[in-house]
């Protein structure tokens, strides 16, 4: 924007050893009418800089290769290129000598003119005189004038050309503060400690041509050459950078024919599918994507062969071909899924195929790709992790030199920022504000795999990921999409791992179970869905009794309904009212009926946006897709306004009244982002049903498997354990002689696994179990003698109850452990310690210990210890709350299990309390929240007064006051961990 | 040898287009004959910002380093060379 404001015609982006920003830079520059010049500043192994600009396609390939080399031979986050590696990779590149940081200037300053001439000659020989420029910087630093004069003299002597650049690090002079803070953050030090790394003044901003010309008025050639270079650097990234590897084919058979054969030979194939199959194959053929399907099929085939549970998600499930190839789990004909949502003749881009794999074994699939296609041909997409409130406060506070202990205070101050904010914090918060939303660091995508038939480093740079054996490319999902690079998502899904475990334990072939078990639907209707995939959130649990799902389509709807799109678009309540017959199903225009009939006249799915746009306004599929994307983008206001005009015009042309057309478009706009495609919801609904089926028919196995694959889903393990106990399942504490690493089934009870003991790593646990397998531990002394374990971990084992098996009190065991551990580590010394006899901990103390050491307890719920005190004050428990009359003013209390502040809820907090019977829903409006924020955030047991609000079977307390439950009344409950917070969850 | 004022010593300066043309030192106006060096610093903004234009000047036989404090809009001498 600043470049456009300054009237620049061209601009080069030369990030250090990367092209992370190339795509968005090119797009933005083009949109602003500025010529984008791609390039990078490479760091050579003597830590000097060299600027390379891309003149043509070969130059881009060479730049990618050079950056890849530099990244792979330097510590993470840096790049170091050996000078000799430039040899043979200079074609198509224009090199600038790197200005003050370049080898020539550094040599000139350190060793004098002759040495600098030798260095310059080396570069000129490598790139040739036409493609190498002596780069001049003028930042109003001391001796800049003299340095420039000497460099010009050197250039003249060697018949080299010169160019002026500004080594820009921030757009405007006022952004120097940001530049300095980012430098301090990069060095992980305070500003005071990185002064030598900071620029001595604020001259590294984007200067206008006029300002730069004034600085270089003695050297007009240096300015003129910027234009000449721009004229030579015309390369722009194409929209189809990738070429996929060719899947091996039977002799004489095309990819298309092979794909057709695989589909028709699939066990899932049935004759009635033929017409649809032919239709899809024709479109795949026309799009040239048969090979793509074969590549994905090969991955799925590998997974199934290795018993790695997997299934497609997203729009791929619209495809019959994907279903027949076992890529997608559901029959799109049966579930009325439209193929064109996935792929249509109009669709310009190859669609991503997203696959979920068993999270435990997914790594095998990733490594299979590396092995099959080669490490240089496969890599993962990166993610740009951006600053959010807490991270920006943490980093900027560190740069400012503030102690970590005041970060929470700063967060509070920021939220309450106003006239009373101390002046010295104003600048601090200003920097925080400006950094918010900017990229903090590069991460690795959950599973986005890129594969290529040519080495990836010829298409875009790669770098090693922090995770061993992983390589990432330098573009994220959006960048790859813009460059036409297909990403195959190999995602890890813990629910698939849990279902694998349930299947292994029960021997049930879950894939053969029909979706028609009335008892399972009844359980879901009763919202007994803790742990059930996608149906367990508080909002889902509140909706299910009203929705009363009784078939698979209802599950698809249930999953789709509680999403920000339908919530923001006010679709939820109309749908529920229409479903129970309290409101007539009506359509603003009869033409909406085909699109919305299935969902009683409301918009739930992305596919419906396309169909509505088509049926009302005559949008083509491509236009509909553009509309869908624009609705989901935060930045597409302008495009959306254009589409609105097109929509209204199209609708009027179709004979729709303008007012109605406007209302329909407003509904689409309200529907906006964060909605599911029906196909995606249908894929997920398969897992919803399967997990619910196991919960109903094999509850103990279900809970054990869910507990073994945490973190997963909505609820913390402690809530899941209490829920299991409420369902009548016995949950046993960890036991040093009985527990495995994972939770197991022991005579129809669940035994908590030792992996729940905080801080014990897998390898240590494996060793412990191996030693125990030789013979059980006889007592604490035997354990400490045979297992080499730090005292703190032994103490946690004792606190968790894992050593209760020896019938000593936990206090006594803790004392003995201290003595015995010392004796073990000083085994030649005998320690004389007085014999002590300690009392057993109270139940509440035991509870505290268990929460502290494992995060859960298999004892009574802690609220039980408050109950007598609460009863005396008419503080109702959850069952009494359910029975209380609507609009009654009551008091209730419980353990805080989750606090939600969904973006869709205008700062309303949804707090879920738990007691020994059930959960209690509390709604806290902003006034009360901001009054009582400290209590709500910091206390674990809350005591609310409020009004009962009942909507059919759902009871909520609208809070009018809140207090902390006095923990002294329950023998001090002080060590429970913090409540789970979901500040940005989309659904309440 | 030179004399250094670490915190600068205030002085009057006549300017033309923001560049020093004359310096008032010990009751005498010295004409700036040549600006040998000119640089800018902008540091320490997170504590007490120092934002100055520095000039190394030859003024009627004296060589001085003077600066223009761009925040307070004042001039000071930092160093005089013998």
């Amino acid at each position: 924007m600043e470049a456009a404001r300054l009237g620049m015609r061209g601009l080069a982006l030369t990030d250090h050893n990367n092209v992370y920003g190339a795509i968005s830079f090119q797009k933005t520059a083009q949109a602003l009418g500025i010529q984008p010049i791609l390039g990078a500043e490479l760091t050579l192994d003597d830590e000097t800089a060299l600027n390379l600009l891309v003149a043509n396609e070969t130059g881009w390939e060479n730049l990618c290769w050079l950056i890849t080399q530099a990244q792979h031979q330097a510590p993470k986050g840096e790049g170091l290129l050996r000078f000799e590696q430039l040899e043979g990779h200079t074609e198509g590149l224009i090199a600038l000598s790197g200005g003050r940081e370049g080898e020539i200037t550094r040599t000139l300053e350190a060793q004098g003119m002759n040495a600098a001439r030798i260095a310059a000659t080396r570069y000129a020989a490598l790139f040739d005189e036409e493609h190498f420029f002596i780069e001049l910087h003028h930042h109003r630093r001391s001796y800049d004038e003299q340095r420039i004069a000497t460099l010009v003299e050197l250039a003249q002597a060697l018949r080299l050309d010169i160019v002026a650049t500004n080594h820009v690090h921030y757009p405007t002079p006022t952004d120097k503060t940001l530049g300095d803070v980012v430098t301090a953050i990069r060095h992980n030090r305070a500003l005071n400690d990185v002064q030598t790394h900071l620029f001595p003044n604020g001259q590294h901003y984007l200067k206008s041509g006029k300002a730069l010309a004034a600085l270089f008025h003695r050297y007009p050639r240096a300015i003129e050459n910027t234009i000449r270079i721009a004229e030579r650097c015309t390369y722009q990234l194409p929209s189809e950078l990738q070429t996929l590897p060719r899947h091996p084919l039977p002799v004489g058979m095309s990819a298309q024919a092979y794909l057709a054969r695989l589909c028709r030979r699939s066990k899932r194939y049935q004759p009635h599918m033929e017409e649809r199959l032919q239709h899809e194959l024709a479109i795949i053929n026309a799009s040239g994507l048969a090979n793509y399907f074969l590549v994905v099929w090969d991955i799925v085939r590998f997974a199934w062969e290795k018993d790695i549970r997997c299934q497609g998600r997203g729009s791929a499930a619209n495809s019959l071909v994907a279903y027949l190839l076992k890529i997608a789990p559901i029959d799109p004909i049966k579930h009325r899924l439209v193929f064109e949502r996935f792929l249509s003749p109009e669709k310009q881009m190859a669609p991503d195929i997203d696959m979920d794999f068993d999270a435990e074994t997914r790594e095998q699939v990733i490594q299979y790709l590396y092995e099959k296609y080669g490490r240089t041909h496969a890599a993962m997409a990166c993610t740009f992790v951006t600053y959010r409130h807490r991270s920006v406060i943490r980093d900027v506070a560190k740069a400012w030199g503030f102690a970590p202990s005041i970060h929470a205070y700063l967060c509070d101050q920021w939220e309450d920022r106003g006239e009373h904010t101390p002046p010295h914090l104003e600048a601090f918060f200003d920097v925080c504000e400006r950094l918010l939303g900017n990229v903090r660091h590069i991460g690795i995508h959950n599973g986005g795999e890129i594969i290529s038939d040519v080495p990836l480093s010829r298409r875009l740079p790669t770098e090693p990921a922090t995770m061993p054996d992983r390589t990432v490319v330098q573009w994220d999902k959006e960048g790859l999409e813009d460059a036409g690079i297909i990403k195959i998502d190999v995602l890890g899904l813990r629910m698939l791992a849990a279902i694998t475990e349930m299947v292994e334990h029960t021997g049930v072939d879950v894939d053969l179970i029909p979706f028609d078990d009335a008892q399972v639907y009844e359980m879901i209707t009763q919202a007994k869905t803790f742990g059930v995939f996608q149906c367990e959130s508080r909002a889902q649990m509140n909706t299910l009794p009203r929705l009363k799902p009784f078939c698979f389509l209802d599950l698809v709807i249930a999953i789709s309904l509680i999403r920000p799109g339908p919530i923001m678009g006010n679709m939820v309540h109309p749908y529920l009212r229409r479903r129970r017959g309290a409101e007539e199903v009506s359509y603003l225009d009869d033409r909406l009926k085909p699109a919305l009939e299935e969902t009683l006249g409301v918009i739930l799915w992305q596919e419906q946006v396309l169909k509505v746009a088509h049926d009302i306004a005559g949008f083509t599929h491509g236009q509909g897709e553009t509309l869908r994307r624009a609705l989901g983008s935060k930045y597409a206001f302008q495009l959306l306004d254009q589409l609105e005009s097109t929509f209204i015009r199209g609708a009027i042309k179709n004979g729709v009244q303008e007012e109605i057309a406007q209302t329909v478009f407003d509904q689409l706009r309200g529907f906006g982002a964060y909605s599911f495609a029906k196909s995606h919801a249908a894929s997920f609904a398969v897992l919803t049903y399967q997990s619910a089926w196991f919960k109903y028919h094999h509850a103990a196995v279900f809970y054990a498997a869910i507990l073994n694959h945490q973190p997963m889903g909505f609820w913390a393990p402690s809530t899941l354990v209490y829920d299991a106990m409420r369902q009548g399942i016995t949950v046993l504490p960890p036991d040093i002689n009985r527990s495995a690493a994972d939770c197991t089934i022991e005579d129809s009870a669940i035994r908590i696994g030792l992996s729940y003991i905080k801080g014990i790593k897998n390898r240590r646990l494996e060793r412990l179990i191996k030693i125990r397998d030789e013979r059980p531990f006889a007592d604490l002394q035997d354990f400490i003698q045979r297992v080499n374990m730090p005292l703190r971990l032994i103490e946690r084992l004792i606190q968790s109850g894992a050593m209760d098996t020896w019938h000593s009190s936990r206090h006594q065991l803790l004392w003995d452990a201290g003595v015995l551990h010392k004796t073990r580590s000083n085994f030649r010394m005998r320690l004389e310690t007085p014999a002590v006899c300690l009392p057993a901990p109270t139940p509440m103390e035991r509870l505290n210990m268990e929460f502290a050491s494992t995060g859960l307890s298999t004892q009574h719920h802690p609220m039980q210890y408050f109950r007598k005190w609460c009863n005396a004050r008419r503080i109702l428990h959850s069952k009494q709350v359910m029975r209380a009359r609507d609009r009654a003013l009551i008091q209730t209390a419980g353990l805080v299990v989750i606090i939600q502040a969904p973006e869709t809820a205008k700062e309303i907090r949804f707090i879920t309390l738990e007691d020994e019977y059930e959960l209690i829903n509390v709604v806290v409006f902003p006034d009360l929240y901001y009054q009582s924020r400290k209590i709500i955030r910091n206390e674990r047991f809350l005591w609310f007064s409020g009004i009962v609000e009942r909507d059919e079977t759902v009871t909520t307390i609208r809070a009018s006051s809140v207090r902390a439950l006095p923990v002294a009344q329950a023998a001090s409950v002080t060590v429970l961990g913090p409540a789970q917070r979901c500040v940005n969850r989309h659904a309440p | 040898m030179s004399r250094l004022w670490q915190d600068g010593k205030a002085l009057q300066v006549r300017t033309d287009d923001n560049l020093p043309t004359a310096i008032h030192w010990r009751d005498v106006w010295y004409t700036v004959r040549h600006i040998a060096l000119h640089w800018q610093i902008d540091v320490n903004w997170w504590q007490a910002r120092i934002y100055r234009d520095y000039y190394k000047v030859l003024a009627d036989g004296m060589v001085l380093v003077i600066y223009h404090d761009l925040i307070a809009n004042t001039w000071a001498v930092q160093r005089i060379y013998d």
Side-chain angles (χ1 to χ4, degrees), chain A residues 82-120:
Chain A
R82 292 194 299 277
F83 183 84
E84 57 270 24
Q85 287 179 303
L86 288 163
E87 189 82 54
H89 293 93
T90 55
E91 194 187 334
L93 291 169
I94 290 177
L96 316 185
S97 65
R100 190 181 288 107
E101 315 299 332
E103 186 185 348
I104 293 162
T105 312
R106 292 256 184 101
T107 308
L108 181 69
E109 289 176 349
Q111 299 171 43
M113 186 60 124
N114 281 344
R117 284 174 71 153
I118 292 168

Side-chain angles (χ1 to χ4, degrees), chain A residues 15-243:
Chain A
D15 282 338
H16 293 201
N17 304 304
N18 73 71
V19 290
Y20 296 133
I23 294 275
S24 56
F25 167 68
Q26 179 173 298
K27 265 171 71 177
T28 313
Q30 284 170 343
L32 293 168
I34 297 170
Q35 181 199 337
I37 300 168
L38 301 174
E41 181 183 310
L42 288 182
T43 310
L44 300 179
D45 56 359
D46 58 359
E47 298 197 350
T48 58
L50 178 68
N51 275 317
L52 297 178
L53 303 177
V54 176
N56 54 35
E57 189 181 346
T58 311
W60 174 254
E61 288 188 11
N62 279 329
L63 182 71
C64 292
W65 187 88
L66 290 167
I67 293 175
T68 302
Q69 303 310 308
Q71 288 279 353
H72 281 266
Q73 56 204 19
K76 176 75 185 152
E78 295 173 29
L80 284 177
L81 187 74
R82 292 194 299 277
F83 183 84
E84 57 270 24
Q85 287 179 303
L86 288 163
E87 189 82 54
H89 293 93
T90 55
E91 194 187 334
L93 291 169
I94 290 177
L96 316 185
S97 65
R100 190 181 288 107
E101 315 299 332
E103 186 185 348
I104 293 162
T105 312
R106 292 256 184 101
T107 308
L108 181 69
E109 289 176 349
Q111 299 171 43
M113 186 60 124
N114 281 344
R117 284 174 71 153
I118 292 168
T121 308
R122 263 196 317 143
Y123 281 97
L126 195 60
F127 287 92
D128 81 46
E129 292 83 356
E130 287 288 298
H131 294 88
F132 180 66
F133 291 77
I134 298 292
E135 190 178 359
L136 310 177
H137 288 167
H138 193 320
H139 294 112
R140 294 180 154 197
R141 286 158 73 166
S142 51
Y143 300 102
D144 267 2
E145 294 275 2
Q146 287 84 340
R147 185 183 298 114
I148 290 169
T150 317
L151 283 170
V152 171
E153 187 189 323
L154 180 145
Q156 283 168 348
L158 295 175
R159 294 175 185 274
L160 295 172
D161 225 334
I162 53 173
V163 66
T165 69
N166 199 40
H167 202 217
V168 173
H169 275 66
Y170 37 82
T172 63
T174 52
D175 292 322
K176 172 182 163 53
T177 49
L178 277 190
D180 286 355
V181 169
V182 168
T183 303
I185 291 170
R186 193 172 65 246
H187 289 279
N188 199 21
R189 309 266 292 277
L191 282 159
N192 276 334
D193 301 331
V194 291
Q195 302 245 22
T196 52
H197 294 287
L198 305 181
F199 293 127
N201 61 32
Q203 293 292 322
H204 288 259
Y205 65 92
L206 195 60
K207 292 188 176 119
S208 66
K210 199 175 160 189
L212 217 53
L215 282 171
F216 290 94
H217 65 277
R218 289 184 194 161
Y219 313 103
R221 175 88 184 159
I223 299 293
E224 287 158 20
N225 276 343
T226 60
I227 308 287
R228 290 194 189 100
I229 290 172
E231 282 167 356
R232 288 161 66 183
C233 294
T234 52
Y235 177 74
Q236 314 242 317
L237 289 166
S239 58
E240 283 183 10
L241 255 183
Q242 185 185 31
T243 41

